[in-house]
Amino acid sequence: MSDWTPGREPEPTEAEHEIPAGPASPEVDAGADVDPAAPAPLEVVRTPTGNAEVDARLQRLADADHLATDGHIEVYEDVHRGLRDTLTALDAHPGPPVPSGAPHTSYDRS
């Protein structure tokens, strides 16, 4: 017999709440004092987009790796502002002329 009922999720066990230990970093000595508040690089891979302006903004995100968490917001806001400006500039470039009003025919209907 089962205690499961439709629409009800089973309660997680204590083992499901535990966070698995990740691999030990070879750069950190097990006996060394490590400051948990010190900046730690996120090592996020940034794939080039092919647009030099966008790639430069994304590369700026690497600056956050060397800052404490409270310094990240400045970098993120700067990158966001730059990406927004780049997208806005795309709208400013003139494209093909847009027809105005009703279409005109090349013949006279009279």
Side-chain angles (χ1 to χ4, degrees):
M1 186 164 178
S2 173
D3 291 337
W4 183 83
T5 57
R8 183 173 170 218
E9 292 292 322
E11 295 291 327
T13 64
E14 187 174 323
E16 291 174 333
H17 286 289
E18 294 179 17
I19 299 173
S25 173
E27 299 171 7
V28 178
D29 181 15
D33 290 331
V34 177
D35 181 7
L42 297 175
E43 299 175 9
V44 174
V45 177
R46 291 165 195 86
T47 305
T49 64
N51 182 305
E53 290 182 55
V54 172
D55 291 341
R57 297 296 177 183
L58 294 178
Q59 190 58 38
R60 167 91 165 95
L61 290 173
D63 294 345
D65 285 350
H66 310 290
L67 300 172
T69 306
D70 59 351
H72 289 190
I73 190 77
E74 181 181 339
V75 173
Y76 296 154
E77 286 178 346
D78 181 48
V79 170
H80 180 259
R81 186 179 317 108
L83 290 172
R84 187 180 59 231
D85 292 347
T86 300
L87 288 173
T88 301
L90 292 174
D91 290 336
H93 292 293
V98 177
S100 61
H104 297 283
T105 58
S106 60
Y107 62 93
D108 186 9
R109 292 185 175 183
S110 50

